[in-house]
Amino acid sequence: MSVQNSHNPLAQLNDIVGPSSPSFWPLPPVYWLLSSIVILSLLLSLFLLKKHRKQRLKQKNALQQLRLLQQSQADFVSLNQLLKGVALAYFPRRQVASLHGELWFDFLQRYAQAPLFDNKQKFIERLYQQHSQACSADDYIQARTWIAGLPKQIKKQTGKNKEKRNHV
């Protein structure tokens, strides 16, 4: 040791070591929460998109079948079968399959944007005629309107049912 170093006590100290830079891993809990929210949002969006596409495909197929019925000048019974098939695609089988006559007419009216097929008695007569005549252009227009508006009417009716449950 030199004489100069022995007299200076600071000379015996080591250099100051600065803190190491912080690591990005493990992530703070906030980042885990944010990434979880983003992933769940993406999954929910994909689920809703798939559901929406499936609904649109149902509607598109029904409208295409309606066009085919119109081109072949189908009778009222065939048109009614198409409407029943569309209802079965959107509702549980136990809710729709057994409906006929007045109950079926009321069901159609409940999920229609505007009243369908003039009146109930005429509708029932047309359903059960042995030799049904071809549908009119108005019948096809009303059926198209019912099919196109059904998803909106279902949401509307579902919203009304929820309100009723909340008020009770």
Side-chain angles (χ1 to χ4, degrees):
M1 250 202 229
S2 71
V3 175
Q4 188 181 17
N5 284 344
S6 64
H7 294 295
N8 186 1
L10 294 178
Q12 297 174 358
L13 293 177
N14 294 330
D15 288 338
I16 296 175
V17 178
S20 62
S21 61
S23 171
F24 77 94
W25 198 262
L27 293 176
V30 171
Y31 290 120
W32 284 106
L33 179 66
L34 288 176
S35 61
S36 299
I37 289 172
V38 167
I39 290 171
L40 289 174
S41 298
L42 287 173
L43 291 174
L44 180 64
S45 298
L46 287 174
F47 172 76
L48 292 175
L49 179 66
K50 187 175 178 180
K51 184 177 177 183
H52 178 71
R53 283 186 177 173
K54 187 177 177 182
Q55 294 288 356
R56 293 287 297 162
L57 184 61
K58 281 184 203 178
Q59 190 177 45
K60 185 179 176 182
N61 288 339
L63 291 172
Q64 185 176 3
Q65 289 175 1
L66 181 65
R67 278 190 291 278
L68 292 174
L69 284 178
Q70 190 171 12
Q71 289 171 356
S72 66
Q73 297 178 343
D75 59 2
F76 191 72
V77 174
S78 299
L79 180 64
N80 184 59
Q81 288 173 343
L82 173 65
L83 294 177
K84 181 77 89 147
V86 171
L88 285 169
Y90 282 95
F91 295 96
R93 186 168 202 77
R94 67 182 184 284
Q95 184 180 351
V96 176
S98 63
L99 296 177
H100 62 281
E102 290 184 22
L103 293 174
W104 173 239
F105 181 81
D106 293 338
F107 177 86
L108 288 173
Q109 299 306 318
R110 186 176 327 128
Y111 292 100
Q113 294 173 338
L116 294 174
F117 305 119
D118 298 333
N119 63 40
K120 190 183 293 191
Q121 197 59 35
K122 187 175 178 184
F123 175 82
I124 293 169
E125 287 174 9
R126 289 178 75 188
L127 272 182
Y128 298 113
Q129 287 178 348
Q130 278 191 333
H131 301 289
S132 184
Q133 49 187 293
C135 293
S136 67
D138 192 42
D139 291 336
Y140 290 113
I141 291 170
Q142 290 180 29
R144 185 175 298 110
T145 303
W146 187 81
I147 292 169
L150 185 59
K152 290 179 186 175
Q153 292 298 331
I154 291 171
K155 285 182 183 178
K156 187 176 176 181
Q157 291 294 328
T158 308
K160 286 181 182 179
N161 291 341
K162 285 181 183 177
E163 285 178 18
K164 286 180 184 178
R165 281 187 235 138
N166 290 339
H167 288 292
V168 173

